[in-house]
Structure formats: structure tokens, C-alpha cells
Amino acid sequence: MMAPFKAKLSTKLVASLMSVVIISGVSSAIISRNVINKNVVGQAYEEVRGHLNTAHHMYNERVMVIDLLIRHLSSLGYLQTAIIQNNRALLGEKLKEVKKELDIDIMNITDAKGRIIIRANNFAMYGDNMSGDYMVRRVIETQKPVYGTDMCTREDLLKESRELDNRATIKVKKTPHARPVKREFVEDGMCLKAAAPVFSGGQLIGVIYGAKILNNSFKLVDRIKKLLFRDERVGGYELGTVTIFMDDIRVSTNVKNRDGSRAVGTQISEEVYEKVFEQGDIWLDKAFVVNNWYISGYSPIRNIYGKVVGILYVGILEEKYNIIKRNAAIFSFLIIIITASIGIALSIYLIRSIITPLRALVGASKDLARGVYCKIDVDSTDEMGYLCKTFNTMIDALSENEKKLKEKTQMQMVQSEKLASLGRLASGIAHEINNPLTGVLSYSTVLYDEVTNPAHREDLKIIIDETLRCREIVKGILDFARETRIEKQPANMNKVITDLMSLLERHVNFQNIQIKKDLAENLPEISIDINQVKSVFNNLAVNAVDAMHEGGILTIRTGYDAIRKRILITVSDTGVGIEQKNLTRIFDPFYTTKETGKGTGLGLSVTYGIIERHGGSIRVESTVGQGTTFTIEFPADTVNPVLAEVKPNNV
């Protein structure tokens, strides 16, 4: 077993503070580094995802612009007339004008069967059938406009111009981690294309279509890059790059080779190709692109039939986020160093501010152990000062509680002595009065039966009634004076209350009273004298009814306090209530607030005695005009362990 660290408290505090500073500093550095890395990487991927969405929007926007103008062109009446009249000169002039305005590479018109009427690029080449073109065939079949990404074969490009064929031709450059390919050149052209039907009199008379070849065309990718990254550079390299792939070959890009040329013809990695091109999913991850690491996003480009024909790429230099992480780490490290230095500098001050109050607390605690209540002089407002003030508050509370306890004990002793003395006195008086009362009652009854004069019989009736009332008073006095022996047996308080209430509910006095029972489930059994306890609740219920002259609600609630091991019962009414000045006297013998002849003032005294003999307690709360609540507690020392988890009810 490790030997205890023997040193002064100040030394221990210094060692502890230094340990905390060192451990906290190292832990904070590690945690902050991980959090920063995670947040920065997360931010990077979210930024790339957002840029990729923007790039797709701009890509689609470009082809939609072509579509809008192609559809507008198809609706022009004079062009419809020129197609019907086969006015190729007018058509050729208009197509060249629109081709230049749209900055596209191909503008052609076919007849209703897909045969070329006019080419803007090659006026002499016409009459060939273009119905095999996906979009031209789609327009002829559906007679609706269509636009999207398409492929132009080398044969179609040669029909347009040698210059377009040369521009579309790209030499494939073998790239590490790319899939192996056998072809040396890309000869087809990836393009943005739109086609629209031309009608006359409701009949299809032709198709107008236009296309922008993306191979070796950099306006679109440069425009996207400028919008997203604003020519920002990091470490001498452009911050972001944009690329359009046809299949797995870069056909339009601003990714640069080491010599500064555009990396057209280089391939995408096989892993990305399988994920994006073959499976049609978006790919977000770190990737080495040509000569740098990028946080990259790849998204499939589909044709009008939903088939993946290309890939759109957006990448941000990873170095941007590496710089952020490095700066954040340095800043975090500097904060830790500064914090540690301040902590060390303040440790001595803190130790002094702790030791002095602690010594005062130790001295005051020793005095408290001897029963001397001594407060601590406090002039500090920090935590130790607050602790000392709390200690002083505790001293005040202990002193006050001790005073209240003494007063309560004295009151209980006085009450017990009062009850005992009154009990002995009442017992003697009751026995002395009982015999004469019996004689008076017997002779007055005989006289009543013998006398025939109505006036005399009325007088005798009054004597008999008053004698009977006196006998009831004497009986109450005897019940109060006689400490009946308690015969305890296990019982469930809920059942005791339920049995009693089932009888009371039928009594005529309870007919305009609503009885509510809120009895806690799984209430543990306790040992009680059932008859005496029933008498307790009977007295309380009868008193409650007497307090509710116009009817009301009588509520009986039970619960169990598992911590204090007490059964709790409340009896509440909505009656007239008891004035505050009378609350301290209601348990006194012969004290009553009822009208003369309606009570002896012994009911609550008897109730108090029964509860006290059971080791319980009773208290009362009342508000005039709102009602009264009696709270009774019985001890439950022996409780079933399973039932010990019952939560106290709201009593």
C-alpha cells in the first residue's frame, strides 16, 4: 500500500494545483487538437459539398440557357416559313448569328424526319440523316423540347468542321491509381445540347438543335472556379479547381500540371470511377489530384436517359485547412501556456486565502463540538468567505433549532402533564356525577310514564334529554380519562380507511359530502389497534362534516415516506376553517368551537392521545373560509424490503 504523502497543506495544495495545471494542459491540448481537426475536416467536407452543388447548378444553368434560346428560335414565324420554303441562305445566316450569341459550337436544323437542312458550321454539308442522334430522335418521337448532356461522335464532328474534331481529340495520359485503358485518344466530344421541335399549322416540320463541345473548352470550369474561389491562392497554388470528366478522362479542367499546363487527358482514380461512374453515387474524400492533396467532391453527370456519361469535380486544397489546424493548435498551445503561468502565479495567493479561513473553521468546529456556538469573523467575499458565512448560518440554525426543540419538548411535557392531570380529575368527577345522573334519569323516566298532564310531561321530557346529554358528556370524560390498553395487530391503513369510509358514506350526515380517496399503492402494513385508529379517523371525518354546513369535499390521502419509515395520512375538508389563534388549543380537553350542546371538546383530545400512544404525531393547518387539513404520521419500523421502494405520495 502506498504511504501517505506527508507534507503541509500548503505544499499539498501547490503540488495538487501544479498537477491539475499540467494534466489539464496536456488533456486540453489533446482534446482541443482532436476537436479542431474534427471540426475543420467537417467544415471542409461541408464546404466542398456546397461548392459541388453550386457547380452542378451552374453546369445545368449553362445548358438551360441554350435550351431557352433554341426554343425561342423554334417559335419564330419567319424561320418556320424559311424551313417550309427551304430558304437555306436565311436559315444559315440566322444560325450563325445565334451560334455566336450563345457561344456554342454547333447549330443545325433538320426536317421532320431528321435529315439535315442546314449546318451553321458547314453550309455545303446537308441532306444526311441525324435521326440516330439521341436528342433529335427524342424530339421527333415526343415532339417536345429536350436538353442535357450528350456525346457527339467523331463522325458527326467531322461533318461540322475539322477544327471541332481537332479540339475534341484528347490524348489519354496514363495516371497512377487510374483504371487501365487501351485507347490512346478520346475522339468523341462531350457536349451540352438542347433541341426543340418546329411546328407549322400544328404539324412538325423540323428540329433545331445546338451544342457546346466541352472538350478543351475552359470557359465554364473557369467561370465556376472564379465564382467559388475568386482566384484565391494558398502556398503559391490556386485554392480550388473544377473539372469535367468524360467517362474517366479530364476533358475540361483548371487543374494544372507541374509545367503549368492544364491537366487535360489525365484520368480519375479507379476507386472514384467505380463509386461515381459505375455506381452513380457522390464521392467526398481527400484525394491526390495531379500534384497536390485536395478535399474533393465528385458527382455523376447523366444524359437525358439517366445514364452516367461524365463526372463533375470540385476540389479545395487541403493545405488551406492544414493552415487553419496549425494556427488553431498554436493558438490553443499559447492559451495553455498563458493559463498555466497565471495559475502558478495565483497559486500562492489562493493557498493563503484558503489556509486562513480553514484554520478559523477548524477552531470554530472544535468549539461547536464542546457545545459552544462561536461564529467566524469574515471579511472575504470569495468561496472560502462564503463557506465561513455558511458555517455561521449553520451555527444560527443549530442554535435556533435547539431553542425550538426545547420549546417543543416543553410544550409536549406541559400538554402531557395537562392531559394526565385533567384525566385524573375528570375520572374522579365523572364517577361522582355518573351515579346521581343515573338516579335522576331513572326517576324522571318513571314520572314521565306516570304523569298525564301535558305541561308536566313536556318539562319531564326536557329533564330526560338534558340528563342523557350529561351522560354522554360523562361518557366522553371517561373515554378521555381512561387510557385504554392498546391491542396492536398488523393492518393495512388503506383497508382500515376504506372500511370506515364505506360505513360513513351511508350515514345521513354525509349525504351532501363528496368523499375523495387518494390511497397510495403497495402501502406497507403496520401494527396498530384497528378500533382505536378507526375512532381517530371517525372523529376527524365527523368534525370535517360539521365544518361543511352547505356540503363540500372530504379528501383522505395516504402515502409512505421510505426514508423516514413513516405512514402519512391527511384528512382535508373544504369547510369554514379554524382561526389561527385557535389552532394551538384545538387538542386541549373540553375546548370546542361548536355550538353549545353539539360537542364536548374531547374528540380531538382523545384522538391526540390515541395517536401519541401509537408513537405517532398529528398536526393541523387551516385557512379560514378555505378548509382544514390534519396530517397524521404512524411509525413503520418493520417494512417489507420490496415495499421500501414505494415513493411518498403528495401528502
Side-chain angles (χ1 to χ4, degrees):
M1 184 175 179
M2 184 180 292
F5 178 41
K6 296 181 179 179
K8 291 183 178 180
L9 179 59
S10 57
T11 304
K12 291 180 180 179
L13 286 173
V14 171
S16 300
L17 284 171
M18 291 305 299
S19 299
V20 169
V21 168
I22 293 171
I23 294 172
S24 300
V26 173
S27 301
S28 299
I30 295 172
I31 293 171
S32 61
R33 179 179 178 275
N34 292 336
V35 170
I36 289 169
N37 287 348
K38 183 178 179 180
N39 289 340
V40 169
V41 171
Q43 176 192 347
Y45 286 116
E46 285 303 314
E47 189 172 359
V48 169
R49 186 187 296 275
H51 286 343
L52 190 59
N53 290 337
T54 302
H56 251 297
H57 177 75
M58 296 179 68
Y59 180 92
N60 293 331
E61 183 186 59
R62 180 69 178 98
V63 70
M64 283 191 292
V65 169
I66 299 174
D67 171 63
L68 287 172
L69 287 177
I70 291 294
R71 280 194 285 171
H72 172 70
L73 194 63
S74 69
S75 66
L76 297 177
Y78 70 89
L79 283 182
Q80 297 168 3
T81 302
I83 292 174
I84 294 172
Q85 296 176 353
N86 198 29
N87 188 344
R88 297 180 67 246
L90 176 61
L91 293 174
E93 181 181 347
K94 186 61 179 176
L95 290 186
K96 287 181 179 179
E97 177 187 336
V98 174
K99 173 175 170 288
K100 182 178 181 181
E101 182 180 347
L102 281 177
D103 187 26
I104 58 179
D105 301 304
I106 297 173
M107 275 293 298
N108 296 336
I109 299 178
T110 73
D111 61 17
K113 294 183 179 180
R115 291 187 297 268
I116 290 291
I117 296 176
I118 187 69
R119 280 187 170 89
N121 290 319
N122 191 348
F123 189 80
M125 187 68 185
Y126 66 96
D128 53 305
N129 195 334
M130 292 297 294
S131 61
D133 182 280
Y134 284 155
M135 290 197 180
V136 173
R137 184 169 70 247
R138 182 75 171 266
V139 172
I140 293 173
E141 290 174 352
T142 65
Q143 297 190 5
K144 293 181 179 179
V146 65
Y147 67 90
T149 304
D150 200 6
M151 296 295 168
C152 289
T153 65
R154 187 186 186 199
E155 180 183 358
D156 291 338
L157 292 172
L158 285 171
K159 291 176 183 178
E160 295 294 328
S161 69
R162 174 66 64 180
E163 186 243 337
L164 274 182
D165 174 60
N166 291 338
R167 203 180 90 198
T169 301
I170 296 174
K171 180 176 176 58
V172 177
K173 301 174 182 177
K174 305 298 182 184
T175 308
H177 308 297
R179 70 189 184 104
V181 291
K182 296 181 180 179
R183 58 181 175 172
E184 294 185 6
F185 292 93
V186 171
E187 296 181 328
D188 294 339
M190 186 176 180
C191 61
L192 303 177
K193 184 186 289 186
V198 182
F199 296 99
S200 178
Q203 295 294 320
L204 180 69
I205 61 172
V207 176
I208 299 179
Y209 68 92
K212 175 68 176 179
I213 305 300
L214 296 174
N215 299 33
N216 282 306
S217 176
F218 309 118
K219 285 187 177 180
L220 179 57
V221 292
D222 287 350
R223 180 169 169 261
I224 295 173
K225 188 194 80 168
K226 187 173 184 63
L227 178 67
L228 296 179
F229 307 111
R230 294 180 175 82
D231 298 326
E232 187 178 347
R233 303 178 74 85
V234 175
Y237 294 95
E238 293 179 335
L239 172 62
T241 55
V242 181
T243 296
I244 298 173
F245 291 87
M246 183 177 72
D247 198 39
D248 65 339
I249 307 298
R250 282 182 175 84
V251 296
S252 179
T253 184
N254 38 52
V255 175
K256 301 294 180 61
N257 293 311
R258 294 190 182 279
D259 60 5
S261 61
R262 296 181 187 253
V264 174
T266 55
Q267 296 175 263
I268 201 171
S269 71
E270 187 172 12
E271 177 187 3
V272 177
Y273 180 81
E274 291 175 355
K275 178 76 172 178
V276 182
F277 197 90
E278 295 182 354
Q279 299 177 21
D281 295 331
I282 293 176
W283 191 90
L284 287 172
D285 206 342
K286 187 171 72 170
F288 190 81
V289 179
V290 181
N291 52 25
N292 272 304
W293 284 98
Y294 288 83
I295 304 297
S296 304
Y298 297 84
S299 178
I301 298 173
R302 303 175 187 272
N303 64 12
I304 60 172
Y305 296 103
K307 179 184 177 182
V308 179
V309 295
I311 298 172
L312 181 62
Y313 156 85
V314 172
I316 304 176
L317 271 175
E318 186 191 26
E319 183 61 19
K320 170 187 174 181
Y321 302 102
N322 290 339
I323 292 172
I324 294 173
K325 289 191 286 186
R326 284 196 298 269
N327 291 340
I330 293 171
F331 183 70
S332 176
F333 181 74
L334 288 175
I335 290 176
I336 292 170
I337 294 296
I338 293 170
T339 303
S341 300
I342 294 173
I344 294 170
L346 292 177
S347 61
I348 297 175
Y349 170 77
L350 292 175
I351 289 168
R352 288 177 180 173
S353 64
I354 292 172
I355 293 296
T356 302
L358 279 179
R359 287 174 179 167
L361 279 171
V362 169
S365 299
K366 289 179 179 179
D367 291 337
L368 181 61
R370 295 196 303 269
V372 179
Y373 297 118
C374 294
K375 292 187 178 181
I376 302 172
D377 292 331
V378 181
D379 58 0
S380 174
T381 58
D382 59 11
E383 286 78 2
M384 289 306 298
Y386 179 75
L387 177 60
C388 293
K389 290 179 181 178
T390 305
F391 182 86
N392 290 341
T393 304
M394 181 188 70
I395 291 293
D396 290 337
L398 287 173
S399 178
E400 183 65 23
N401 288 339
E402 184 178 20
K403 180 181 178 182
K404 289 181 178 179
L405 183 60
K406 287 179 180 179
E407 291 176 355
K408 184 177 180 182
T409 303
Q410 185 67 27
M411 289 176 62
Q412 289 179 340
M413 290 175 64
V414 170
Q415 179 75 3
S416 298
E417 290 174 1
K418 183 193 299 183
L419 291 175
S421 299
L422 286 172
R424 290 191 294 270
L425 177 62
S427 178
I429 293 173
H431 282 294
E432 292 298 326
I433 294 175
N434 202 34
N435 291 333
L437 282 177
T438 302
V440 172
L441 182 61
S442 299
Y443 285 112
S444 59
T445 302
V446 171
L447 286 172
Y448 182 82
D449 293 337
E450 293 178 353
V451 172
T452 58
N453 188 310
H456 292 164
R457 285 178 64 87
E458 183 65 29
D459 292 338
L460 288 170
K461 181 67 170 60
I462 293 173
I463 292 172
I464 291 171
D465 289 343
E466 291 302 309
T467 304
L468 287 172
R469 191 169 74 84
C470 288
R471 191 168 67 176
E472 287 298 315
I473 294 173
V474 170
K475 183 178 179 296
I477 293 172
L478 288 173
D479 288 340
F480 166 72
R482 185 190 308 122
E483 290 195 359
T484 308
R485 182 170 169 269
I486 294 177
E487 296 181 0
K488 290 186 177 182
Q489 57 180 305
N492 184 281
M493 191 62 70
N494 286 345
K495 187 175 185 308
V496 172
I497 292 171
T498 302
D499 291 346
L500 176 64
M501 288 300 110
S502 64
L503 294 175
L504 293 179
E505 286 171 347
R506 300 188 185 97
H507 196 281
V508 64
N509 291 344
F510 284 79
Q511 295 307 304
N512 63 341
I513 301 299
Q514 180 184 354
I515 299 177
K516 288 187 177 180
K517 290 175 285 188
D518 183 8
L519 308 180
E521 297 181 358
N522 300 323
L523 203 65
E525 289 188 347
I526 60 173
S527 295
I528 58 173
D529 186 316
I530 295 176
N531 290 328
Q532 291 197 28
V533 170
K534 281 186 178 180
S535 175
V536 167
F537 295 118
N538 182 75
N539 286 341
L540 294 176
V542 170
N543 285 347
V545 171
D546 290 342
M548 295 184 286
H549 309 302
E550 304 299 328
I553 301 173
L554 172 62
T555 304
I556 300 180
R557 183 177 290 114
T558 62
Y560 176 57
D561 186 340
I563 298 175
R564 297 170 53 231
K565 294 185 178 180
R566 307 283 283 185
I567 298 290
L568 289 84
I569 310 100
T570 62
V571 180
S572 304
D573 63 59
T574 57
V576 296
I578 304 171
E579 293 185 12
Q580 195 69 27
K581 65 180 180 179
N582 295 329
L583 283 179
T584 57
R585 303 179 57 198
I586 61 173
F587 295 113
D588 290 349
F590 308 110
Y591 176 78
T592 179
T593 58
K594 297 179 182 178
E595 298 176 8
T596 303
K598 290 191 176 182
T600 63
L602 292 172
L604 288 179
S605 296
V606 173
T607 296
Y608 183 92
I610 292 172
I611 294 172
E612 189 178 55
R613 288 197 293 276
H614 278 79
S617 64
I618 181 171
R619 63 180 183 274
V620 61
E621 297 175 0
S622 184
T623 302
V624 175
Q626 296 184 15
T628 302
T629 298
F630 286 89
T631 302
I632 303 103
E633 295 187 11
F634 287 109
D637 294 333
T638 306
V639 181
N640 188 322
V642 176
L643 302 177
E645 296 181 1
V646 177
K647 294 181 178 178
N649 204 26
N650 293 328
V651 298

